[in-house]
Amino acid sequence: MKEIIIIGRGGQGGKSAATILAEAALEGGNFIQSFSEYGAERQGAPVYSYCRIDDKEIRIHQGVTHPDIVAVIDPTLLPQLTMTEDMPDDGILVLNTTLSPKDVRDKMNIRKCKVFTVNATQISIDCFGKAIPNTPMLGAIERAAKLVTLDGLKKKITDKFLRKIGEEAVKKNITAIERAYNEVKEG
Amino acid sequence: MNTQELKKAQALSGAEAVAHAMRQIDPDVVPAYPITPQTDIMHAFAKFVSDGKVTGELICVESEHSAMSACVGASGAGARVMTATSANGLALMWEIVYIAASLRLPIVMSVVNRALSGPINIHCDHSDSMGCRDSGWMQMYAENNQEAYEQTIFSMKFAERAKIPIMTCMDGFITSHAVEPVILFDDAKVKAFIGDYRGDWPLLDVDKPVTMGPLDLFDYYFEHKRKQSEGIYLAKNIFNEVAEEFDRTFGTKIDVVEKYFFDDADTVIVAMSSTCGTAKVTIDKMRKEGKKVGLLKIRLFRPFPSWELRQILKGKKIVAVLDRSESFGAFGGPLFTEIRSAMYEEKGPKIVNYIFGLGGREIDAGMIERVFTEIDAYKTNEIKEYVKYLGVRG
């Protein structure tokens, strides 16, 4: 089983990102579960969203404490990365930041895990004209962790949003995912 | 669910899954008032209404008291009626909840379990529906999204045949807001299973006028209550009938209890709702270590399957009953007192109680493993404390 935590702020789409990831994984033939930890429901508060992907039925109903993958979609929430000690040595961190993987390691004193960084905020500003970094982060997570496939992810975004937001807006989302997929740096 | 079945599944939250059950049932009237975490059910159902996917009427009322009042009015008129609520919303319905049961109106209410105020808390425990356990409503509890969906459809037929309203409960947020694979039944099959509904004494049948809820003093009130009591007691047989039909139609078994590694287990946990999933994972791990642990999951809490549980639990050495609600001033939580009472005439097992998860406090596999380990010692050691608290400080 792969366990994923997505850390964002209320309103940034962390929950949606976890759901889309789960939906794409289900279409890929996996058992899934996704949920969020709700505090007081307000914009801007840190929100932890979880996703589990497995080849067996998922019965457990508790928060994720030993994740395989952690994604931080808001650069100001990097200090929340306190669970790396509970992650496997080959755990994966996917971070929205302007810093390089090496700088993040030094700054956060992270000695294990693979670290991936991407400037998802800039990509979302380029693509949508505003900072909604959850969509590009999905591209970065896919590149780093290979939980579904890039095509599966793009198909899910298209199926889910085409009727709601139209073809042009879907294309922007696809571009954001592709850019993050290609621009993410490992170190 | 196996890998083959998974291909038919879609990713739905527990709330969305229940809304789909409501769409398929297409009740005549749904009076509702929003409250977290129930609101997601009515969001999804309201969308079905706007999209013309259902023909019934959604009435947006001004409070839960009005919601249940409208349920009683509509059901009394002969309509098929559903609603949903949580916590303080259910508390505000209180007065009318009893009236619905006393009038034998088969309303199906989805209760998304949430802690009652105060202090205010939006997260899961069972204090809301457990507070209603003497109201005359039937109650079922779902472990996961698939069960919440199936239980809603089952409840409609069960309630109408028993002529008793039912609360179909799932854990707030843990189930209502988690996305899991859910297999929906075929729309036409659901329609055929629940069939048409016509109340026995519909107020709208003007050729056969009736009075509902008249004054009933010391001359007959007691007889009516006695009959009401007999009615819910006999509903257990109806549960089994409907479960058989459900299995025949959908190929899915719904039972009053579910046993998990139970028969050869000498150390047993009894629990309800989402915690049972985590308990199963814990048991899988402990079984691999050779420990004879098992779970008894209770699906039907009202009418309480006392006799069945007595047969099932006798012969076990030690049982821990997990209660997700407190019964202030009582000797243990509601599930514990019911089970101890059911087992009184039996020599064994020893039974202890753990109150857990109030206000959404996390219960994880590690905590459940500690319960198993702790009660295992009671096989030989004296029990000093029968009612304990799990996962609380101080």
Side-chain angles (χ1 to χ4, degrees), chain B residues 170-184:
Chain B
M170 66 170 144
D171 282 350
F173 289 106
I174 302 165
T175 310
S176 65
H177 284 54
V179 174
E180 292 179 350
V182 177
I183 300 170
L184 299 182

Side-chain angles (χ1 to χ4, degrees), chain B residues 256-322:
Chain B
V256 291
V257 296
E258 181 195 323
K259 295 172 183 173
Y260 191 76
F261 284 99
F262 183 83
D263 290 338
D264 72 335
D266 50 15
T267 307
V268 166
I269 279 181
V270 180
M272 302 200 296
S273 295
S274 66
T275 309
C276 294
T278 309
K280 287 173 181 174
V281 173
T282 314
I283 289 166
D284 289 347
K285 176 181 175 275
M286 295 180 76
R287 281 273 167 176
K288 275 185 196 146
E289 296 160 3
K291 292 171 183 146
K292 284 196 171 178
V293 291
L295 168 74
L296 189 68
K297 176 173 92 179
I298 312 276
R299 286 295 294 275
L300 181 69
F301 183 77
R302 280 288 182 271
F304 194 73
S306 310
W307 179 255
E308 292 82 348
L309 285 173
R310 187 174 159 186
Q311 304 308 314
I312 291 167
L313 286 172
K314 72 177 181 191
K316 296 297 173 197
K317 284 187 186 147
I318 177 81
V319 173
V321 179
L322 269 50

Side-chain angles (χ1 to χ4, degrees), chain B residues 1-210:
Chain B
M1 200 181 288
N2 59 38
T3 315
Q4 201 57 33
E5 293 167 330
L6 184 71
K7 287 179 186 156
K8 292 179 285 177
Q10 45 188 303
L12 294 172
S13 72
E16 289 167 336
V18 167
H20 272 287
M22 293 177 70
R23 171 184 62 75
Q24 293 176 315
I25 292 168
D26 194 1
D28 301 311
V29 180
V30 177
Y33 191 79
I35 184 166
T36 300
Q38 170 282 119
T39 312
D40 279 27
I41 296 178
M42 285 305 159
H43 268 173
F45 184 71
K47 193 163 183 302
F48 292 139
V49 174
S50 310
D51 291 348
K53 300 273 166 78
V54 289
T55 58
E57 194 165 343
L58 174 62
I59 311 176
C60 298
V61 289
E62 71 274 32
S63 76
E64 284 88 355
H65 190 276
S66 302
M68 188 45 65
S69 299
C71 284
V72 166
S75 187
R80 175 174 273 161
V81 179
M82 299 180 84
T83 188
T85 196
S86 293
N88 298 24
L90 180 53
L92 187 54
M93 286 180 178
W94 213 265
E95 178 191 10
I96 317 298
V97 161
Y98 275 72
I99 293 171
S102 303
L103 295 179
R104 304 290 298 265
L105 300 172
I107 299 156
V108 173
M109 173 156 64
S110 195
V111 175
V112 184
N113 285 121
R114 162 185 158 177
L116 280 170
S117 298
I120 195 162
N121 180 300
I122 59 168
H123 291 287
C124 174
D125 69 36
H126 297 171
S127 55
D128 49 3
S129 56
M130 279 299 158
C132 285
R133 64 192 187 276
D134 293 341
S135 66
W137 283 58
M138 304 194 288
Q139 289 189 358
M140 287 181 72
Y141 290 81
E143 178 188 324
N144 51 37
N145 299 10
Q146 184 69 37
E147 282 190 7
Y149 165 73
E150 290 168 359
Q151 192 171 284
T152 308
I153 294 163
F154 178 90
S155 291
M156 195 79 245
K157 185 155 191 156
F158 180 31
E160 287 177 353
R161 193 168 291 176
K163 306 182 203 306
I164 300 169
I166 187 164
M167 296 179 193
T168 164
C169 308
M170 66 170 144
D171 282 350
F173 289 106
I174 302 165
T175 310
S176 65
H177 284 54
V179 174
E180 292 179 350
V182 177
I183 300 170
L184 299 182
F185 301 138
D186 179 57
D187 287 4
K189 262 193 184 175
V190 174
K191 286 238 174 320
F193 173 74
I194 56 164
D196 292 328
Y197 173 69
R198 193 184 146 81
D200 288 345
W201 304 99
L203 288 170
L204 287 181
D205 185 352
V206 290
D207 295 330
K208 279 194 255 167
V210 292

Side-chain angles (χ1 to χ4, degrees), chain A residues 121-142:
Chain A
T121 303
Q122 188 59 50
I123 293 173
S124 78
I125 288 169
D126 292 348
C127 292
F128 314 118
K130 54 184 173 183
I132 32 173
N134 66 334
T135 319
M137 281 303 283
L138 280 171
I141 293 167
E142 176 52 29

